[in-house]
Amino acid sequence: MGLFHCPIGAEYYSGEGCINCGLCKATNAEEKFRATGIIREYIREHGLERNPELKIRRIAVCGKGGCGKSTVSALFASALEYYGYRTLVLDTDSSNAGLWRKIGAEKSPEVLMVLTDEEPEEIEALSDPDFFKRDPLYFDDIGDRFVEWNRLKGVMIAGKITDPLIACACSIDARARRLMSNLTPRNKEIVLVDVEAGLESFGRGFEQYVDTILIPVEPSAEAIELAERIQYMAEGLGIRRVRAIINKCEDEDTEEFIKEALSEKGIRYLGAIPKSKDVQKMNLMGLEATEELAMPIAGDLVRWMLDEAEMPHEKVKTIN
């Protein structure tokens, strides 16, 4: 699984399901660019055809800096827990430091990579955890050092930049890609990734290991334009399920304007998370996105997302 991830799901070149895009044989940037164009056209032509394999297993939350990726990740993790899903949240943003609090963990887990001034190759050789060698890699294979669990919600941290002049985040992203290439959710388990802001992760190919992309879109022209670029990138990686979530709107007119703008760009809309004093308090005070908070705000969005993938969402948790 870690060697090559076919975006279309073909087991081998020219085998069943192969569209002859050439990505698996590409040896340079020009060949890769040509292959992603073929994949993109295939996705746009076929869309979300009924396919029992198109379940939600790995979600990436992508978007503009400050659009609410961490908040959406935490709210969705709690709503998924309400519906009985065990969710492992992977924090790959090398800047923000508080996602583990929103998950309700007692403390921050140990990061997968501590940046030093050594060469990335030397870091990889010295610090690989044992579970990186497992393929498939299941949730319970990951040691307690690197995951903090709060009931059905777990959080991992790829790495953080803590000092100047140490290194760039490329090595953190490489470690996260290696993890994602083998990480295998079982029944009613989902990986949810809080991705760094912008598009750089697509350039590195991180999203090739996910099947669903959620784009929080705040009220700004830049956020809408970036959502269009994210969808373009995602289609080139073979991702068929890209959904926008309108976030931080204060009135219906603004929400309607964003919905129309997304529709004009061909971006499908999942729903909206209104601007909320409770969410602002959670973010300000570093509190957990509890089920009591998450369900009224994000419960319907998660249910619609699961419905679309024909996945169960029966209530298994009771809010007191």
Side-chain angles (χ1 to χ4, degrees), residues 32-225:
K32 290 178 182 178
F33 179 77
R34 188 182 307 118
T36 58
I38 295 173
I39 295 168
R40 185 176 295 109
E41 290 306 313
Y42 176 85
I43 293 298
R44 290 179 175 178
E45 181 179 349
H46 292 81
L48 264 175
E49 295 177 339
R50 288 295 178 189
N51 184 337
E53 298 301 317
L54 291 178
K55 301 298 184 185
I56 297 170
R57 295 287 180 258
R58 303 177 185 87
I59 302 170
V61 184
C62 308
K64 175 181 170 290
C67 70
K69 295 184 295 298
S70 296
T71 298
V72 168
S73 298
L75 292 171
F76 267 57
S78 284
L80 284 165
E81 179 182 41
Y82 181 87
Y83 290 125
Y85 284 84
R86 191 182 186 205
T87 305
L88 179 58
V89 181
L90 175 61
D91 181 3
T92 69
D93 190 325
S94 59
S95 302
N96 296 333
L99 179 55
W100 62 272
R101 295 187 180 92
K102 298 177 185 180
I103 300 301
E106 291 186 358
K107 66 180 189 302
S108 173
E110 184 174 329
V111 300
L112 289 174
M113 169 160 286
V114 178
L115 290 181
T116 72
D117 57 1
E118 298 179 54
E119 291 298 320
E121 294 79 6
E122 297 175 12
I123 298 172
E124 292 288 331
L126 292 173
S127 59
D128 267 353
D130 290 340
F131 62 81
F132 264 69
K133 303 172 185 177
R134 301 197 178 191
D135 184 9
L137 171 64
Y138 300 115
F139 286 7
D140 292 330
D141 294 333
I142 303 170
D144 293 340
R145 285 174 52 199
F146 298 102
V147 183
E148 281 292 321
W149 287 99
N150 175 20
R151 300 182 303 274
L152 298 182
K153 300 180 294 186
V155 60
M156 296 184 70
I157 299 176
K160 297 296 179 185
I161 296 176
T162 58
D163 288 291
L165 306 177
I166 289 180
C168 73
C170 299
S171 52
I172 295 175
D173 188 80
R175 176 62 59 87
R177 287 202 310 273
R178 292 185 59 197
L179 175 72
M180 287 292 290
S181 69
N182 293 338
L183 193 54
T184 305
R186 287 171 160 152
N187 185 44
K188 297 207 79 172
E189 291 183 340
I190 289 176
V191 179
L192 198 158
V193 187
D194 180 11
V195 180
E196 62 182 311
L199 295 170
E200 189 169 354
S201 60
F202 283 95
R204 298 171 183 157
F206 177 86
E207 282 80 2
Q208 67 184 308
Y209 301 110
V210 308
D211 52 64
T212 302
I213 287 184
L214 301 179
I215 313 172
V217 179
E218 65 178 6
S220 72
E222 292 83 1
I224 296 170
E225 291 170 0

